């Protein structure tokens, strides 16, 4: 990993609370987030890592956001402590921005309640104002009130966000240029990364039959073949993901391919916007 001079000089020990990392795709956000996580752990801090990108996720399967807490004395990534996961149901924030903001807030609260002093929040690359990216970042900043926002920009693409933040606002703003070692990833590489993350998640999956009258179904019992679904606890956190293989409308049951062993503590089935092939783990949008 290339550690630019400016990264070394980041005074990260000072802000406690949420450190939010923003920038367009392929700016090195996730790489910087891991670097900062390691440095804070090495200083003996209790750190949580919030993987907030349901497209190119690092801590969990795609279409989710995962928070993991570091264990005392541990520096390695991924953090080995308890995890909390929220289901977004899509690999792009478009059309799911409220879900993303709510998930980030719920995970940040979980981190605080678990005793994290600092939460490193790695965000999606959607920053384009024309696509709602500016409002998405502003909403997150408003709600989470991060102690610091670290912005990585190459070509003034973050100016609509940074110009007001520079003139004040709740968060300390730290501006960085991308590392020269950053390599952009094309759509195929991104798809392959998602397939690998799904494949890892489902590596010891089996078949589980679920009676859908025993739980809430969001949005309702209209299923698509190979649809990605989440089994959630009463607080809305993911107990396990599943791929929907069969739906029996007579018996009112669905058959899932899932690593989840039991339905204990599961109170809802949430349907995603994508289908995942359980052999190749390639995903595609479900038209609804
Ligand atoms: N400082 C760095 N040194 C080496 N490789 C890097 C560095 N920053 C990013 N990369 C590489 O560039 C690619 C994109 O980086 P990533 O951190 O995933 O960006 P982002 O999260 O902003 O999309 C990855 O393949 C990553 O390994
Ligand atoms: Mg990333």
């Amino acid at each position: 990993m290339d550690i630019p001079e400016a990264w070394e000089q980041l005074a990260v020990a000072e802000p406690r609370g949420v450190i939010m990392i923003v920038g367009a795709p392929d700016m090195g956000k996730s790489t910087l987030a891991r670097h900062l996580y390691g440095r804070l752990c090495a200083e003996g801090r209790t750190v949580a890592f919030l993987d907030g990108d349901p497209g190119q996720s690092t801590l969990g399967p795609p279409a989710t956001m995962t928070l993991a807490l570091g264990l005392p004395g541990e520096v390695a990534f991924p953090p080995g402590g308890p995890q909390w996961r929220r289901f977004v149901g899509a690999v792009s924030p478009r059309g799911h921005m409220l879900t993303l903001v709510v998930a980030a807030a719920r995970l940040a609260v979980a981190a605080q309640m678990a005793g994290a002093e600092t939460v490193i929040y790695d965000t999606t690359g959607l920053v384009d104002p024309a696509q709602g990216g500016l409002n998405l970042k502003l909403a997150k900043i408003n709600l989470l009130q991060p102690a610091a926002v670290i912005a990585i920009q190459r070509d003034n693409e973050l100016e609509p966000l940074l110009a007001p933040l520079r003139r004040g606002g709740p968060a300390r703003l730290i501006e960085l240029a991308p590392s020269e070692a950053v390599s952009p990833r094309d759509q195929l590489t991104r798809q392959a990364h998602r397939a690998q993350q799904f494949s890892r998640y489902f590596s010891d999956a089996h078949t589980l039959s679920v009676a859908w009258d025993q739980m809430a179904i969001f949005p309702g019992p209209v299923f698509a073949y190979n649809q990605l679904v989440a089994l959630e606890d009463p607080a809305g956190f993911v107990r396990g993901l599943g791929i929907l293989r069969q739906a029996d409308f007579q018996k009112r049951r669905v058959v899932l391919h899932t690593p989840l062993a039991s339905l204990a503590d599961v109170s809802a089935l949430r349907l995603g916007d994508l289908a995942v092939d359980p052999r190749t783990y390639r995903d595609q949008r479900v038209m609804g």
Side-chain angles (χ1 to χ4, degrees):
M1 195 199 292
D2 166 52
I3 313 289
E5 182 89 15
W7 290 19
E8 303 263 26
Q9 280 162 14
L10 278 179
V12 286
E14 188 205 310
R16 304 211 167 198
V18 176
I19 300 179
M20 183 171 158
I21 302 176
V22 297
D26 293 327
M27 285 295 137
K29 296 182 297 298
S30 301
T31 308
L32 173 64
R34 285 171 67 148
H35 169 77
L36 287 180
Y37 174 81
R39 265 177 57 187
L40 288 169
C41 288
E43 286 177 22
R45 299 269 287 275
T46 309
V47 193
F49 191 97
L50 200 177
D51 170 12
D53 187 352
Q56 298 294 293
S57 51
T58 47
L59 286 186
T64 65
M65 287 168 60
T66 302
L67 179 112
L69 191 66
L71 293 171
E74 175 199 78
V75 177
F77 190 91
Q83 291 197 346
W84 291 261
R85 181 164 289 146
R86 300 284 301 195
F87 188 55
V88 176
V91 295
S92 159
R94 289 173 200 84
H96 300 270
M97 292 191 194
L98 284 170
T99 310
L100 242 71
V101 173
V102 170
R106 295 293 305 275
L107 293 171
V109 169
Q112 264 156 14
M113 307 237 296
E117 296 166 272
T118 305
V119 179
I120 307 277
Y121 177 17
D122 182 20
T123 64
T124 74
L126 184 67
V127 295
D128 179 6
Q131 299 191 62
L134 173 60
N135 282 333
L136 176 63
K137 302 297 146 167
L138 288 173
K140 287 176 185 171
I141 291 170
N142 237 311
L143 184 59
L144 294 179
Q145 298 181 272
V149 173
I150 303 183
I152 312 180
Q153 84 169 332
R154 188 188 297 280
D155 226 5
N156 291 335
E157 67 276 7
L158 286 182
E159 279 310 298
L161 175 66
L162 301 190
L165 293 183
R166 269 186 214 118
R167 290 195 296 267
R172 187 174 133 208
L173 177 64
I174 300 167
E175 298 186 48
L176 297 175
S179 153
E180 280 167 24
V182 167
S183 56
R185 293 157 298 174
D186 59 22
Q187 286 313 316
L188 276 179
T189 311
R190 287 170 181 274
Q191 163 94 257
H193 172 79
R194 294 200 301 272
Q196 191 185 13
Q197 295 285 102
F198 276 130
S199 156
R200 183 175 304 158
Y201 179 80
F202 285 106
S203 62
D204 48 8
H206 52 269
T207 296
L208 186 71
S209 172
V210 177
W212 75 64
D213 285 332
Q214 281 171 16
M215 55 188 70
I217 307 182
F218 299 107
V222 179
F223 307 111
Y225 190 56
N226 283 343
Q227 191 165 18
L228 185 71
V229 305
L231 294 156
E232 296 180 344
D233 68 15
F237 292 97
V238 173
R239 308 299 303 186
L241 297 189
I243 296 174
L244 198 145
R245 302 292 288 159
Q246 284 169 39
D248 183 332
F249 282 83
Q250 245 102 58
K251 294 188 182 141
R252 301 180 68 76
R253 296 186 83 88
V254 284
V255 174
L256 303 179
H257 175 70
T258 177
L260 192 67
S262 108
L263 292 173
D265 215 23
V266 169
S267 66
L269 179 70
R270 194 176 297 271
L271 308 178
D273 272 8
L274 69 168
V276 177
D277 184 316
R279 279 157 308 150
T280 61
Y281 290 107
R282 285 168 64 93
D283 61 80
Q284 87 193 77
R285 275 194 63 116
V286 169
M287 295 299 147

